[in-house]
Amino acid sequence: QVHLVESGGGLVQPGGSLRLSCIVSGRTLSQYTIGWFRQAPGKEREFVAASFRSARATYYAESVKGRFTISRDNAKNTVTLQMNSLKPDDTAVYYCAGDAGIILSSIRYPAHYDDWGQGTQVTVSS
């Protein structure tokens, strides 16, 4: 059984940083694509970043490019999302999602991921 557990959320001032972690169990991370998504109140879940399984390639939403960095440590079965220069618009619940068979053209779409964590709240406010 696959489990994804996020941690690292919290309250931060605008311009600050947070580091989210997603620990994966029940899967070999090197064969598993991980996406980060976020959902703000009243809005749809949106793509933030993804680390594609074997290609070591990373992908970002335009809104976070240059500020967020996704990385993985396959030995520790952990994927992190380093978030810098945070803005109030980044406030949301952040979810990590995983899928072993997802194709590259689908990584930005939440419906294509089979496995989800419970989410962690990120609040950017002064």
Side-chain angles (χ1 to χ4, degrees), residues 58-80:
T58 56
Y59 304 87
Y60 297 93
E62 285 298 321
S63 59
V64 307
K65 199 173 289 184
R67 300 188 296 122
F68 291 11
T69 302
I70 186 172
S71 60
R72 62 166 65 206
D73 184 335
N74 289 335
K76 295 182 178 179
N77 264 27
T78 300
V79 177
T80 60

Side-chain angles (χ1 to χ4, degrees), residues 78-101:
T78 300
V79 177
T80 60
L81 184 68
Q82 178 67 42
M83 306 187 296
N84 299 328
S85 302
L86 283 161
K87 306 174 182 179
D89 284 350
D90 295 318
T91 296
V93 177
Y94 283 70
Y95 300 89
C96 67
D99 197 279

Side-chain angles (χ1 to χ4, degrees), residues 20-38:
L20 305 184
S21 294
C22 175
I23 298 176
V24 179
S25 60
R27 283 285 186 186
T28 302
L29 187 58
S30 62
Q31 301 170 8
Y32 199 53
T33 293
I34 292 289
W36 283 97
F37 293 81
R38 66 187 182 187

Side-chain angles (χ1 to χ4, degrees), residues 33-37 47 49-51 97-99 102 106-116:
T33 293
I34 292 289
W36 283 97
F37 293 81
F47 171 77
S51 171
D99 197 279
I102 195 170
S106 297
I107 62 171
R108 297 172 184 267
Y109 304 102
H112 290 269
Y113 288 81
D114 283 341
D115 306 311
W116 289 83

